[in-house]
Structure formats: C-alpha cells, structure tokens
C-alpha cells in the first residue's frame, strides 16, 4: 500500500514537471508573438493554446477578421521559421501528452510555409482528386469527400438524384477544427430557410464574416461561400440551380506539406493519382484499368465505351461503398424519421452515360459555352457533360481573393472586442502609421459590405436562400471584397461583459435532434459570447456538441 502511494506521488510529480515545461514553452512562444505585435500576438498565442486543447479560441481584440492561420501569414517568414523551430524543439519532448499539445501548432506553422493542393466535386458530379485524377461519380447517398487523419478536418457531401441517372451535391457537412458546420441547398433539417447550421442550429451571416467558436470563419464573396479553417484549409461552396434543384459545387484547398494524410473521394493526396481509387476492401473486384480517369484521360478515352461504363459502375458501387457514411460517422443533421439510409439508393444510376451518348452538335455548343466561361482544359470534358446533358451553367475553379494580400497592420492604441455581434469600431482606435506591410500591399479600407451578387448569367443559378432579420435578402458580397475572420478571446485587463454573439435562430417548429460529433464540451473563457447550446452525442473529433430539442445528428 505504501509503495503504491509513493508510486502515485512520483507519477504526479513527473506530470507536474512536464506540465511546467509545457507552460514555459508556451510562454516563450507567446513572448515571441507579443514582440511582433502586443495585441494581435497575444491573441494568436492564446488561440494556438486553445486549438491545441480543442477549446474555443479567445475573442478578437483587433479590427481584422482573420483566422489564426491568416494572421500568422502576416508575420515575416523568417520570424515564422523561428517560431517553428521553438515548436519542433518541444515536439521532441519524451512525454507524449506534451507532444500532442504541439502537433496542431506545428501543422499551422508548416501550412504558412507550403503550397496548397486543390480538389473538386462539381456538376452532376465530377470529381478532381488532389493528385489530379478526374472521374464521374454518378451515385446517391452521403459520402466522405475528404478527411484528415489529424482529426481536425473532414468534409462530407450528400448526393441526391435529379433524374434516374444524374445526381447532384445538395448538402455539405464539415468538421471545421472541431465545429460541426453544415450547408443545405436541399432537405434542410428544420423549417428555417438559412443554408447554414452550426451544431444543428441555424445561423445567419448578418452581412459580415461569421466567426466560428474554434477559430474558423464563413464569408460570402460574390456567389461563393468561403469556409476557412483555423489551420488554413478552405472550402468554397458555389450554390446554384439545376432545373428545380439547388446544387453545390465544392472546391477544397489543403496543403502539400500534409501529403498522404487524407482519405475519401478526393484521394490520399500522396502525389500518385494511380492509387486514388484503391478500395479499403482488398477482396473487392476492381477493373484492371481503374488507375485511369473517365474525364480527360487519353488512354481511357481510346478504350471501348463498354469498358468505360464498367469502370463507372465500379466507382458507383464498390468505390462508393468504401466512403459512404452511416449513423456513427455522419456529420449531417436529420429531420424526424430521417437518417443516412434515407438517402441511399444502390440501384442508382439506372444507366451510366458518357460523352459518347451526347450528339456532336450538343457537344460543340456545350464546349463553346464552357470556353466562354473560362473553364480550364482539365475540366472541359466534365463541363461539356454537365452543360450538354443537364444545361448546368459552367463553373470554373473559383479564385476568391486572399484576405491578407494588400493588408497593413496598424498599431492598436485601444483594444476592443470584434465578435459576431460587436465590431471593433465601437471601441478601437488605430494609429496613423502602419507597423508592417506586405511587399505588394497598399493601405486599404477593410469594411466589407454584403450586396447583391454579380449575376452575369442573369441570376438564374443563384439561390442562397438566406434572409436577414428584416426578411430581405442581404448577405451577398461583391467579388472584390475579401473579408474572413472568426471569433476568439484574449487575456487582457480590459475585458468586459459582452452580449451573446452566436445566438441561434429559433425554428418555427423544431423537428430535429441535433447530435454532436464531439466528446468533450467547449471550454470558453467567460468573456466570450455564448455559443449555440447542444448536448454531447457521438465522439468524433474533440469537443462535444450540444443537442437541441427536436433535432438529431446521426444516431440518437
């Protein structure tokens, strides 16, 4: 008994020692960041600590609406490399618990130093993997589009039939650094018309960037909703109409320094397109030519039409089953009596179509329209297919503005909170001269206004279905506006009581049980605005989600 007591004491002393080392290391990181900028640097350091613990980040106390990653990229590169060296040194600590606190911080710093990779799911739908494999994916259900093995990033798409042989992306669910965020073009889980749900609760953008609790942001630029992760990944949602259905074209941006750490329909991002279609079931039959893509690959294009359709059938059946979500893995919300199985139809599609089934006249007209809209050669065949069969407006790869380009950071004389319901201008004062600028930057007024979208195509494809409090449409921003940011919090002696900031919108008639994917509650400092309430549900990433009466997420 005595020996067990001494063993326990030794264990506690050892862990307290490791804890002290971690605190000292965080203090060193914070000091470095505060020497760059006293206000922004302290917020960034505290945000890093929160991200490493899976907690809500502190509220911003500066005018910019940046994510932690975006603010980090404003720091000169040589200083970022010094910060990375500090983090990597602490990652060599023998205590695995201590090391785990630094993994995501090291990842964010690495992201700020490496290039991005792009994957896409667009049209009816066609997919471009991170490794540039391209294919048609005509099936229905809910699938993992992409998921990181680090646990902070996942995207799921819901495909519904538009006809007996063509399907569309109608909803997207995301794990944004620990926040469960869903976008619904069709099949909203309640009676609220807003397209976004945070932990199952409807949210409104209210004409500016929306801050997610754990550091992500949502902003609207033109017709595109841009969801930014606190760690730098991005999803661009282009919402438009096809016939009577609202579809979502999904563009995903990740980082090349995370190669090989992904799974899902967009592949593993390891640089080899030939293994993007490997199934997890090694006993599954797979056509010998499955390394080829169905769109834009000359080798397969020369193959017989029968062989191509056999390949399409493999993708719609065996490959699709590998990435289909279930009650335990889904991130979506469901109305009463609905679940992932409600969207499954394994007999779909009734017929596999290829471009050979489209007459040359329609192919020529579709190609002309795609070229006029600026579609790249890599996506031309998919665009011709979509426009020729379904008259879907061509959707070139979106290029939203980078929110940090051309921005100058001014000294902050009086910090003030910048949250979803309180702007910095209510208490902040800027100095007259900038502290640091980007090489190509000129001082700009950063005050985005949400306006009507640019409707070059007459607006027939635009239908975000978002209403402001006065019932009018009003969350569109012009394409030259670039404003992203979130809602964190910081330890300062000027903190004061703030009103609620992400107050959920009450449904007229609750019909959904929102079941969160996280296993632990959000720990947020008392000065931060309240987040939507939810009751913990199924474990998946880090924090737990609340549950709301009437809504369910996954298997309740």
């Amino acid at each position: 008994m005595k020996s067990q007591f001494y063993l326990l004491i030794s264990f506690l002393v050892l862990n307290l020692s490791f804890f002290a080392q971690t605190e000292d290391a965080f203090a060193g990181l914070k000091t470095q960041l505060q020497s760059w900028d006293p206000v922004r640097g302290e917020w960034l350091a505290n945000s890093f600590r929160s991200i490493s613990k899976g907690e809500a980040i502190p509220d911003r106390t500066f005018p910019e609406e940046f994510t932690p990653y975006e603010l980090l990229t404003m720091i000169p590169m040589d200083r970022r490399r010094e910060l990375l060296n500090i983090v990597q040194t602490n990652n060599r600590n023998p205590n695995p618990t201590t090391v785990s606190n630094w993994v995501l911080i090291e990842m964010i710093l690495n992201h700020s130093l490496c290039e991005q990779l792009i994957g896409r799911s667009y049209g009816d739908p066609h997919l471009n993997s991170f490794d540039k494999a391209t294919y048609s994916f005509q099936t229905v259900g809910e699938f993992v589009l992409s998921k990181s093995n680090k646990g902070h990033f996942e995207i799921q798409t819901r495909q519904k039939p538009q006809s007996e042989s063509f399907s569309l992306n109608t909803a997207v669910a995301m794990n944004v650094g620990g926040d469960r965020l869903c976008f619904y073009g069709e099949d909203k889980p309640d009676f609220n018309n807003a397209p976004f749900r945070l932990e199952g609760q409807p949210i409104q953008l209210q004409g500016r960037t929306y801050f997610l609790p754990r550091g992500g942001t949502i902003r609207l630029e033109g017709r595109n909703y841009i969801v930014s992760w606190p760690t730098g990944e991005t999803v661009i949602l282009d919402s438009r109409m096809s016939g009577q259905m609202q579809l979502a074209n999904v563009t995903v941006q990740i980082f090349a320094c995370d190669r090989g750490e992904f799974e899902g329909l967009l592949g593993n991002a390891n640089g080899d397109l030939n293994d993007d279609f490997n199934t997890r079931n090694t006993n599954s039959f797979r056509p010998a030519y499955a390394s080829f893509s169905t769109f834009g690959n000359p080798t397969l294009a020369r193959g017989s039409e029968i062989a191509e359709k056999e390949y399409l059938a493999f993708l719609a059946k065996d490959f699709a089953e590998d990435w289909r979500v279930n009650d335990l893995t889904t991130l979506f919300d469901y109305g009463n009596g609905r679940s992932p199985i409600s969207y499954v139809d394994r007999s779909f599609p009734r017929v596999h179509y290829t471009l050979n089934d489209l007459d040359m006249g329609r192919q020529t007209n579709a190609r002309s329209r795609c070229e006029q809209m600026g579609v790249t050669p890599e996506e031309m065949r998919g665009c011709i297919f979509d426009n020729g069969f379904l008259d879907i407006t061509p959707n070139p790869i979106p290029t939203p503005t980078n929110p940090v380009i051309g921005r100058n950071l001014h000294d902050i004389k009086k910090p003030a909170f910048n949250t979803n319901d309180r702007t910095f201008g209510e208490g902040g004062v800027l100095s007259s001269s900038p502290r640091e600028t980007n090489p190509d930057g000129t001082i700009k007024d950063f005050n985005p206004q949400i306006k009507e979208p640019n409707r070059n195509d007459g607006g027939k494809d635009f239908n975000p279905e978002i209403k402001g409090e006065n019932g009018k449409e009003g969350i569109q921003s012009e394409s030259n506006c670039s404003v992203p940011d979130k809602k964190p919090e910081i330890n300062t002696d000027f903190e004061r009581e703030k009103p609620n900031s992400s107050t959920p919108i009450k449904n007229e008639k609750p019909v959904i049980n929102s079941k969160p994917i996280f296993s632990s509650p959000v720990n947020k400092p008392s000065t931060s605005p309240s987040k939507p309430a939810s009751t913990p549900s199924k474990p998946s990433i880090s924090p737990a989600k609340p549950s709301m009466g009437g809504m369910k997420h996954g298997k309740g």
Side-chain angles (χ1 to χ4, degrees):
M1 188 73 178
K2 198 171 184 179
S3 62
Q4 291 178 342
F5 173 76
Y6 284 123
L7 183 62
L8 176 61
I9 293 297
S10 300
F11 175 79
L12 292 174
V13 170
L14 181 62
N15 275 274
L16 286 173
S17 173
F18 280 130
F19 176 78
Q21 294 174 19
T22 302
E23 291 302 302
D24 289 343
F26 267 116
L29 185 68
K30 188 172 184 176
T31 298
Q32 289 286 333
L33 289 169
Q34 286 179 307
S35 69
W36 165 69
D37 186 298
V39 175
R40 297 177 182 89
E42 182 177 7
W43 175 82
L44 189 55
N46 290 338
S47 294
F48 281 168
R49 180 192 292 272
S50 297
I51 290 171
S52 72
K53 295 180 177 181
E55 301 173 345
I57 69 173
D59 288 315
R60 290 164 186 72
T61 53
F62 47 87
E64 297 82 23
E65 297 177 328
F66 294 152
T67 63
Y69 164 81
E70 289 164 349
L71 183 58
L72 176 64
T73 62
M74 297 293 288
I75 300 177
M77 187 171 292
D78 58 338
R79 299 193 71 164
R80 275 182 271 156
R81 294 188 185 281
E82 292 176 7
L83 294 171
L84 180 61
N85 183 60
I86 293 175
V87 172
Q88 289 175 335
T89 298
N90 284 280
N91 265 346
R92 291 192 286 268
N93 192 306
N95 184 353
T97 303
T98 302
V99 170
S100 66
N101 290 334
W102 294 92
V103 170
L104 288 179
I105 299 177
E106 180 177 5
M107 182 179 68
I108 299 174
L109 286 162
N110 277 324
H111 285 176
S112 75
L113 301 170
C114 71
E115 65 180 1
Q116 290 185 325
L117 303 175
I118 294 178
R120 293 247 288 160
S121 176
Y122 66 98
D124 58 338
H126 310 297
L127 278 74
N128 294 351
S129 78
F130 298 122
D131 294 328
K132 307 303 182 186
T134 58
Y135 63 101
S136 178
F137 191 62
Q138 286 301 328
T139 189
V140 296
E142 296 172 343
F143 305 93
V144 176
L145 185 66
S146 185
K147 180 179 180 180
S148 167
N149 62 21
K150 296 268 179 70
H152 70 293
F153 171 93
E154 182 173 1
I155 304 163
Q156 297 177 1
T157 51
R158 176 183 292 166
Q159 297 183 195
K160 286 189 63 181
Q162 184 183 31
S163 65
E164 290 189 346
S165 298
F166 298 104
S167 59
L168 303 170
N169 290 322
T170 62
V172 182
M174 294 160 277
N175 163 21
V176 186
D179 291 318
R180 185 171 64 86
L181 180 70
C182 300
F183 173 86
Y184 298 98
E186 300 278 333
D187 291 331
K188 294 178 175 64
D190 49 37
F191 294 111
N192 193 288
N193 209 30
F196 283 101
R197 303 292 184 280
L198 175 60
E199 310 295 354
Q201 300 252 25
I203 58 173
Q204 301 274 11
L205 300 195
Q206 302 295 355
R208 62 190 292 253
T209 296
Y210 188 92
F211 302 144
L212 298 175
R214 291 179 178 85
T217 59
I218 312 169
R219 63 188 173 102
L220 183 64
E221 185 173 304
R223 69 162 68 251
N224 296 321
Y225 291 105
I226 302 164
V227 180
S228 300
W229 268 246
T231 47
E233 298 87 353
T234 303
V235 166
I236 304 168
L237 303 172
D238 170 65
S239 180
R240 58 180 65 216
M241 299 299 294
S242 175
Q244 299 300 311
M245 292 181 64
Q246 187 168 346
L247 68 88
N249 295 310
V250 186
T251 302
V252 184
Q253 296 177 336
I254 61 170
F255 292 92
C257 43
D258 295 334
R259 283 191 180 279
E261 297 182 358
F262 294 87
E263 62 180 15
L265 297 178
L266 294 183
N268 53 22
N270 68 348
D272 181 8
L273 65 83
N274 288 320
D275 64 3
D276 280 351
F277 307 117
N278 286 352
T279 60
R280 290 185 284 190
N281 178 7
T282 56
N283 296 322
S284 173
F285 171 75
R286 165 181 166 212
Y289 44 80
S291 59
F292 301 128
S293 62
T294 59
F295 282 111
N297 187 291
T299 306
L300 187 59
R302 288 192 295 267
S304 70
E305 183 176 355
I306 294 177
E308 183 175 356
K309 290 186 177 183
E310 181 185 354
Y311 177 57
L312 290 172
F314 160 78
L315 293 173
K317 299 294 187 292
D318 301 78
F319 185 64
E321 288 304 311
D322 267 353
W323 304 115
R324 195 181 294 278
V325 305
N326 56 42
D327 287 350
L328 297 179
T329 61
T330 182
L331 299 178
F332 287 101
D333 306 297
Y334 302 92
N336 286 338
R338 308 285 286 178
S339 69
I341 197 66
S342 304
Y343 298 93
V344 174
D345 179 0
R346 291 182 171 85
S347 67
F348 190 92
R350 307 298 185 263
V351 178
H352 286 287
Y353 288 99
T354 70
L355 281 184
N356 291 329
D357 298 308
L358 196 63
D359 67 70
M360 290 306 300
R362 298 187 69 179
Q363 286 193 43
T364 300
N365 291 337
R367 178 184 294 276
S368 176
R369 190 176 184 195
C370 293
E371 290 175 344
Q372 290 173 4
M373 296 292 287
V375 173
T376 62
E378 293 79 10
E379 295 192 347
M380 184 58 66
R381 287 173 64 84
C383 180
I384 294 172
F385 189 99
D386 291 342
N387 190 253
F389 279 111
L390 299 178
D391 195 27
I392 296 177
T393 301
N395 173 237
I397 298 174
T399 55
T401 56
N402 186 329
V404 305
I405 295 298
R407 297 300 308 284
N408 296 294
L409 300 182
H410 297 74
D411 286 327
I412 297 175
K413 292 182 178 179
K414 182 181 179 183
F417 287 108
N418 183 10
T419 67
N420 283 332
D421 60 357
R422 183 190 296 267
T423 64
F424 178 86
E426 295 173 345
V429 179
L430 300 181
S431 63
S432 58
S433 59
R435 290 185 64 257
E436 296 198 37
T437 63
N438 288 329
D440 58 347
T442 56
I443 298 178
K444 287 185 177 181
D445 183 17
F446 194 60
N447 183 22
Q449 298 295 321
I450 302 295
K451 301 179 180 179
E452 286 296 313
N454 297 323
R455 299 186 174 179
N456 296 328
D457 58 357
K460 80 168 191 173
D461 293 332
F462 181 78
N463 183 17
E465 298 187 341
I466 299 187
K467 305 290 182 182
E469 291 183 352
N470 59 1
K472 297 179 180 179
E473 291 185 1
I475 43 175
Q476 305 292 24
S477 67
E478 294 186 351
S479 58
N480 60 356
C481 282
S482 55
V483 191
D485 294 352
K486 331 292 157 210
K487 146 195 319 174
E489 196 176 278
I490 159 172
N491 296 328
T492 57
D493 55 7
F494 58 85
E495 290 179 343
R496 60 184 181 277
E497 186 175 357
K498 306 179 294 304
N500 274 355
S501 80
S502 40
T503 304
I505 300 169
K506 293 182 179 179
N507 298 334
E508 301 173 3
K509 182 179 178 184
V511 291
I512 307 176
N513 293 319
S514 126
K515 181 180 177 186
I517 47 174
F518 306 117
S519 55
S520 59
V522 177
N523 297 320
K524 172 98 170 165
S526 61
T527 54
S528 70
S530 63
K531 306 296 182 302
S534 49
T535 65
S537 156
K538 81 176 170 211
S540 158
I541 312 167
S542 51
K545 313 177 190 168
S547 100
M548 302 141 345
M551 264 185 112
K552 75 172 180 179
H553 161 250
K555 186 170 185 175

